[in-house]
């Protein structure tokens, strides 16, 4: 896979990718010169970056690996660095699947994100952790387990991983309270302080991120307020959070329920982002995809609506100089987690990603490129 930066690219592809003006850069025979105008390059021209998650079946698909290498400056393993993948049991670590992704990223000059050192939603814990016997001193055992995990993972990757989602989804979306799980039961919200402290010690070079899926819709107010409160408390306690990770599962039918991103929505959303940047935090978009549940079945209408929402959203997000990079949660519809997890009610396959099932760029791909082109440059 190391040599796949030289990819066949037709003249039609050049136009489809909005590179009409750059067709001269497409050599006769339709081969595009390596490295020109990938999303990564368009983003980097503005001091930002672009990437995606990769893993599982998508990682085994050469066509996806090609798109990844062409478009992405950042890779994050979709599932392979989670406890459920790394921790077969309380005593051991299995890095094989994650290491393969790390090797691929490095061979293709991508930077790496680690996702996630602690995902607080217990439905994604390995079964053994939900049933774990914390013994007679449960708080110290819970802290030991968490610190050991973080030290071992960060130690294994050293400086190869530049950014970690240290804590993922700590807030109960409906109430805004801290999630209840096997570790918070013994440690309360100190679990978050401990995770960031352990990450700071084990990965002093890394960007440390609090990552969550709050959104702008009215049904998300408690979630936003809970995250805002948490970030303020962490800042007050000097916990070393460097960035807010905004997952960005947008659109009607994912974690968000509003098809629109109207003026009121934008105002609510900006208020939320403003309070995060006021704490000195950077912003990173970690998992962008567009749930198309209530969008029309017609493919081109749907793709246009997905692209329009993507553009509007990214215009707001990139208006913040604090927004460092944008990751999509998958590059091709074919492997999107939303298809299985939240299928459309009409049974049509969801189309949440920048590339379609045939590995062709969609309007969403162009919307991302245009948003980066229009964005102010970061210093
Ligand atoms: C999802 C993966 O995409 C699925 O394959 C897996 O079954 C469940 O997790 N928020 C996150 C990601 O932080 O880790 C989730 O990824 C999507 C929601």
């Amino acid at each position: 896979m190391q040599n796949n930066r030289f990819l066949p690219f037709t003249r039609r592809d050049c136009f489809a990718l909005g590179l009409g003006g750059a067709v001269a850069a497409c050599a006769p025979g339709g081969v595009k010169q390596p490295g020109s105008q990938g999303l990564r390059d368009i983003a980097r021209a503005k001091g930002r970056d672009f990437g995606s998650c990769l893993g599982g079946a998508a990682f085994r698909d050469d066509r996806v690996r090609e798109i990844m290498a062409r478009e992405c400056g950042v890779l994050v393993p979709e599932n392979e660095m989670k406890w459920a993948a790394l921790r077969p049991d309380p005593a051991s670590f299995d890095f094989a699947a994650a290491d393969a992704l790390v090797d691929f990223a490095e061979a293709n000059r991508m930077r790496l994100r680690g996702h996630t050192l602690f995902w607080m939603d217990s439905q994604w814990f390995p079964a053994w952790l939900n049933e774990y016997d914390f013994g007679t001193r449960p708080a110290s055992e819970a802290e030991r387990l968490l610190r050991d995990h973080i030290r071992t993972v960060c130690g294994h990757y050293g400086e190869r991983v530049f950014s970690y989602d240290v804590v993922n989804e700590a807030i109960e979306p409906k109430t805004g309270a801290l999630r209840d799980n096997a570790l918070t039961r013994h440690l309360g919200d100190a679990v978050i302080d401990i995770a960031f402290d352990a990450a700071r010690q084990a990965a002093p070079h890394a960007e440390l991120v609090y990552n969550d899926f709050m959104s702008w819709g009215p049904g998300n107010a408690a979630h936003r307020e809970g995250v805002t409160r948490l970030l303020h408390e962490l800042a007050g306690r000097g916990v070393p959070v460097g960035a807010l990770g905004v997952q960005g599962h947008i659109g009607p039918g994912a974690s968000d329920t509003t098809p629109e991103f109207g003026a009121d929505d934008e105002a609510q959303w900006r208020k939320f982002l403003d309070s995060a940047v006021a704490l000195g935090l950077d912003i990173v978009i970690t998992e962008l995809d567009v749930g198309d549940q209530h969008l029309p079945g017609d493919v081109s209408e749907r793709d246009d609506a997905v692209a329009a929402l993507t553009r509007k959203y990214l215009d707001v997000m990139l208006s913040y100089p604090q927004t460092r990079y944008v990751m999509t949660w998958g590059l091709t519809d074919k492997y999107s987690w939303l298809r299985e997890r939240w299928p459309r009610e009409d049974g049509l396959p969801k189309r949440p990603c920048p590339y379609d099932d045939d590995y062709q760029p969609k309007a969403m791909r162009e919307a991302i490129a245009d948003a980066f082109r229009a964005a102010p440059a970061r210093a």
Side-chain angles (χ1 to χ4, degrees), residues 16-28:
L17 289 171
L19 302 175
V23 158
C26 290

Side-chain angles (χ1 to χ4, degrees), residues 78-79 82 115 119 124 168-169 247 249 287 329 337:
E78 181 169 5
N79 289 306
K82 294 172 180 170
H115 174 80
W119 190 356
W124 304 108
N168 194 34
E169 302 179 0
Q247 291 187 3
H249 296 294
E287 307 182 14
W329 206 241
W337 72 301

